[in-house]
Amino acid sequence: MRITTIGATATAVAVLASPITSTPAPASAVPAASVVSKPAKAASVHGEARISYIESIHDDIRFTIHAEQTPFTRPMPPTAPEGLPTDARGTLKFSHSRGEVTGWAEATVDCLVTSGRTATLTAVVTKSNVEEPGARLGISVQQGGKGEPDRLGFSWGVVNVDPENIDENGQLVRPQAGSCMAPAPFTTVIKGGYKVIHAEITKSPTQPEPTPHHS
């Protein structure tokens, strides 16, 4: 996978989202088993936006993200037979247009982690005219607050460079992003936006509970 700095050439136009209750009955008349609790909140990010990227300031670059954390749904035997607490599902789409040339890709989300108004996710390419199927892409999103714009980062272009990793022609080869690995959101959203819902990651079911210490 050769590294492509966004905006370098026309052929490198590759940049490539209260529980409902009825009137309660007297406590003595409601069996414990009948009490319905609210499902745990899931971390997610949804939205579509056009960004401004300093290396391609006049280009039309857009990202559509629909991702939701689904803990322990992607088994990875033998190390993580139940999967990971950051397992996720969803879709990532991007397009980068310069004049009559457009690079685009569609990818399946495999990992998501959040913190406050920030989310980091990765997705594996399924279709593209600029990326190889199977390539993992890293995306970060920051939902703006107090009048600030949303922001977005991506794991190619000016980041994720290994100086020792070159091809037979002496060109830098971009390393693949690991799960949930992405840079800080270094671009600015100029149209549209994203909604980030934060949730703490879930404890692995195979990890033992900590043993209390007594003084």
Side-chain angles (χ1 to χ4, degrees), residues 14-162:
V15 269
L16 232 73
S18 64
I20 300 174
T21 58
S22 58
T23 303
S28 60
V30 182
S34 68
V35 177
V36 179
S37 60
K38 184 179 180 180
K41 178 176 61 175
S44 65
V45 55
H46 295 278
E48 178 179 2
R50 179 180 176 180
I51 64 167
S52 175
Y53 176 47
I54 193 64
E55 298 292 339
S56 306
I57 199 69
H58 299 297
D59 295 357
D60 188 331
I61 307 171
R62 300 172 186 260
F63 288 83
T64 300
I65 302 169
H66 294 290
E68 180 174 316
Q69 203 175 76
T70 55
F72 310 110
T73 56
R74 297 178 178 273
M76 294 191 301
T79 307
E82 292 91 5
L84 298 173
T86 53
D87 288 344
R89 65 186 176 193
T91 56
L92 164 70
K93 298 180 181 179
F94 71 77
S95 64
H96 180 168
S97 299
R98 176 184 302 147
E100 301 300 318
V101 181
T102 298
W104 60 271
E106 298 179 4
T108 300
V109 173
D110 65 351
C111 188
L112 171 67
V113 64
T114 61
S115 177
R117 298 192 304 271
T118 301
T120 301
L121 63 103
T122 46
V124 178
V125 173
T126 55
K127 301 177 183 179
S128 179
N129 66 346
V130 290
E131 289 285 351
E132 297 177 5
R136 181 180 287 107
L137 308 177
I139 302 293
S140 62
V141 172
Q142 179 179 291
Q143 182 181 334
K146 296 182 179 179
E148 297 176 345
D150 292 359
R151 301 182 65 85
L152 182 142
F154 46 87
S155 63
W156 60 96
V158 297
V159 296
N160 198 27
V161 176
D162 179 359

